[in-house]
Amino acid sequence: MTTLAEQQKIQEGFMERMDEDELLNCMRCGFCLPSCPTYIESGFQEIHSPRGRIALMKAVKDGMIEPDEDVERSLSLCLGCRACEPVCPSGVKYGHLLEEARDIIQQNKKQKPIVRAVRNTVFEGLFPHQNRMQSVTGLLGFYQRSGLQKVTRKIGFMKLFPESLATMEKVLPKVPTMKEMKNRPEYLPAEQTQAKRVAFFTGCLMDTMFLETNNATLKLLQKAGCEIIIPKTQGCCGALHGHSGEKEKSIELAKRNIEAFEHTNADYIITNAGGCGAFLIDYDHLLKNDPEWYPRAKAFKEKLKDITQILVELNFHKNNSLKLAEQIITYQDSCHLRNVMKTSEAPRVLLQSIIGADYREMKDSDRCCGSAGIYNIVESEMSMKILDSKMKNAKATKATTIVTANPGCLLQMKLGIEREGLTEQVRAVHIVDLLMEAVTN
């Protein structure tokens, strides 16, 4: 329960920090409504639409309503998928408004000791420190390889957890060893005539739990003619912090990454995770009020590209024979890759170039799968509703391979496959891993 004193501080924060012009840009036209998963899955409740949430923010800023539990609940239930932005005729930057509102609430509301402890552990103690991420992932690897996972499942221990978490445990990838995680080179030459010099953003989860996908990304870049620099001092992109009301920490991480990549002399900065890429490309907004860092953030942003973009631009699909055993494939867009990085055509061009792959477009492939960072954990009920709708559309394609371009989406689609009992017929795979599979056959 938010106290009256906390509500007053939150309201003052809205008055001081919320962008009045951006709030007024919303014309209440309703073009965003059909694109909003929570509006649809909540039974078309206005309070759970982008238009409705902007109206709430404006009302709090103007002192017309109190920032009570209903307001906070509406903002918390938002996926932050930003599907409303491409369809908005006024170009409202809804994602920026949402993150600012969440940060104001988070910084002015006293959390329960257990919640505060968990947040400090995750946001301060874990994600900003890659060596700790490696240690935690190493423990998960021990759990998988030691036989403990089999024992845990056999005795039914996972039944003590919510269904979605218990199922998630089944779909986690086989994680690498500590030795593999620490064996990251800082430079790789092009395999053929050099076309571009690129710097690779490794990410925190991507370079631990999804290390194999990162390694495949580097191999594809080499095959495409890229010389690769991998800055050692880079770290977490800050997306989890920025989306969860920890703005100051995300700014700190942004500065660290900008500095790490500034002296690489790279033509492009490459990412292979839609969620990371979308936050990285917003660094200029994050640092807009800092006269020293804003131009540096702009320069960083202008070099950022998704792996699929650079591969298409370098004609990777034309210069390499891509072939798979006959299968039906479909593609689930990463919300942030499509809606923020504006990358949707390149993945499809690559997939459609694979011999043996029958590509079929999924209905509403651009609609969120319900993963949204840790949303599928903290808002499990809504997440599973959205996932069930997504799986209905995926099954309609009769695809045997569901492809995506973000680790969270990948785990969510695997979760959907598990929930539907399709593990023997359907697989989910990151586009980079599928391309690597195709180019080596």
Side-chain angles (χ1 to χ4, degrees):
M1 180 70 70
T2 309
T3 66
L4 290 176
E6 289 169 344
Q7 287 185 11
Q8 185 176 355
K9 288 183 179 180
I10 291 169
Q11 193 147 39
E12 289 171 356
F14 270 64
M15 292 175 179
E16 293 172 6
R17 291 171 49 186
M18 293 302 294
D19 189 330
E20 177 79 13
D21 291 337
E22 200 66 67
L23 288 170
L24 288 172
N25 273 345
C26 178
M27 302 184 300
R28 314 289 191 263
C29 65
F31 276 79
C32 59
L33 300 182
S35 69
C36 179
T38 54
Y39 173 71
I40 294 168
E41 296 298 339
S42 68
F44 309 106
Q45 294 184 42
E46 182 74 14
I47 195 174
H48 295 314
S49 72
R51 180 176 69 179
R53 291 180 176 113
I54 290 174
L56 289 177
M57 295 178 205
K58 183 71 167 64
V60 172
K61 180 178 175 66
D62 292 344
M64 295 175 63
I65 64 173
E66 301 292 333
D68 58 16
E69 300 298 322
D70 289 338
V71 172
E72 185 176 354
R73 180 62 188 146
S74 173
L75 299 180
S76 296
L77 198 62
C78 179
L79 291 145
C81 68
R82 298 173 71 168
C84 50
E85 293 186 18
V87 299
C88 177
S90 299
V92 176
K93 298 296 184 183
Y94 172 80
H96 296 166
L97 292 172
L98 177 68
E99 288 180 4
E100 194 71 27
R102 284 177 170 174
D103 185 63
I104 293 168
I105 292 171
Q106 178 59 37
Q107 299 309 317
N108 290 286
K109 181 178 178 180
K110 187 177 181 180
Q111 299 284 0
K112 294 178 180 179
I114 184 65
V115 174
R116 191 163 60 249
V118 170
R119 290 182 68 91
N120 286 340
T121 299
V122 172
F123 296 128
E124 295 285 344
L126 183 58
F127 278 87
H129 308 281
Q130 193 63 6
N131 60 330
R132 297 177 189 174
M133 289 290 293
Q134 291 173 346
S135 297
V136 171
T137 306
L139 288 174
L140 177 59
F142 173 77
Y143 167 74
Q144 291 176 334
R145 291 186 291 269
S146 66
L148 186 60
Q149 185 178 48
K150 292 181 180 178
V151 172
T152 300
R153 292 177 180 177
K154 188 173 182 180
I155 64 176
F157 179 73
M158 294 309 297
K159 292 180 180 178
L160 299 175
F161 294 88
E163 181 187 354
S164 59
L165 273 180
T167 308
M168 185 67 75
E169 186 269 346
K170 295 181 181 179
V171 302
L172 289 174
K174 298 297 181 185
V175 302
T177 64
M178 285 290 289
K179 182 179 179 180
E180 290 170 326
M181 286 186 282
K182 291 183 178 296
N183 191 29
R184 165 64 66 225
E186 295 180 49
Y187 172 82
L188 290 168
E191 281 194 4
Q192 50 181 290
T193 304
Q194 184 179 323
K196 295 291 179 183
R197 177 183 173 93
V198 303
F200 180 54
F201 182 80
T202 56
C204 46
L205 273 179
M206 288 302 299
D207 217 37
T208 49
M209 190 178 294
F210 296 91
L211 181 67
E212 185 177 333
T213 301
N214 265 7
N215 289 339
T217 301
L218 294 170
K219 196 69 177 175
L220 292 177
L221 287 170
Q222 286 182 287
K223 288 181 177 294
C226 292
E227 175 188 27
I228 310 167
I229 309 298
I230 308 161
K232 193 173 184 178
T233 55
Q234 64 178 298
C236 174
C237 68
L240 186 61
H241 301 78
H243 300 329
S244 304
E246 299 286 343
K247 185 177 180 179
E248 286 306 311
K249 191 64 183 180
S250 66
I251 288 175
E252 180 184 322
L253 292 168
K255 290 178 178 179
R256 171 182 169 184
N257 285 321
I258 291 168
E259 198 166 43
F261 282 86
E262 276 180 325
H263 305 296
T264 60
N265 195 30
D267 299 309
Y268 301 116
I269 298 169
I270 305 300
T271 179
N272 61 2
C276 293
F279 201 75
L280 294 169
I281 211 166
D282 259 352
Y283 274 1
D284 60 333
H285 171 76
L286 193 64
L287 295 162
K288 66 180 181 179
N289 296 321
D290 191 320
E292 177 191 350
W293 285 92
Y294 176 72
R296 297 166 72 176
K298 285 283 287 183
F300 178 93
K301 171 181 181 171
E302 288 167 3
K303 289 188 175 186
L304 200 68
K305 282 186 184 290
D306 181 68
I307 175 64
T308 58
Q309 282 182 292
I310 189 69
L311 291 179
V312 169
E313 288 176 17
L314 295 178
N315 291 316
F316 173 82
H317 55 303
K318 295 179 180 178
N319 299 331
N320 292 273
S321 177
L322 301 177
K323 187 175 182 180
L324 290 171
E326 288 191 7
Q327 57 191 280
I328 300 170
I329 63 175
T330 192
Y331 180 67
Q332 163 59 24
D333 282 283
S334 157
C335 295
H336 288 107
L337 183 60
R338 183 184 185 105
N339 300 327
V340 186
M341 292 192 75
K342 311 300 182 188
T343 301
S344 60
E345 182 180 358
R348 289 168 169 82
V349 168
L350 293 167
L351 293 174
Q352 291 170 9
S353 70
I354 301 174
I355 300 169
D358 177 6
Y359 179 81
R360 298 183 186 178
E361 188 69 27
M362 186 196 309
K363 180 184 176 184
D364 295 332
S365 59
D366 58 344
R367 185 168 292 170
C368 187
C369 63
S371 172
I374 58 172
Y375 186 94
N376 55 3
I377 297 174
V378 298
E379 296 289 351
S380 179
E381 183 179 353
M382 178 59 76
S383 176
M384 293 305 103
K385 285 182 180 180
I386 293 168
L387 178 58
D388 289 343
S389 296
K390 178 62 64 176
M391 290 308 300
K392 180 180 178 181
N393 292 335
K395 286 192 294 183
T397 67
K398 300 189 183 304
T400 52
T401 302
I402 302 173
V403 186
T404 189
N406 187 60
C409 302
L410 178 60
L411 289 179
Q412 185 80 340
M413 297 314 297
K414 287 186 173 183
L415 183 61
I417 291 169
E418 184 76 32
R419 281 166 60 88
E420 295 288 336
L422 298 173
T423 54
E424 297 298 320
Q425 298 89 23
V426 184
R427 64 171 178 161
V429 62
H430 192 289
I431 188 169
V432 162
D433 295 314
L434 189 71
L435 290 171
M436 196 65 210
E437 186 181 326
V439 81
T440 54
N441 279 347

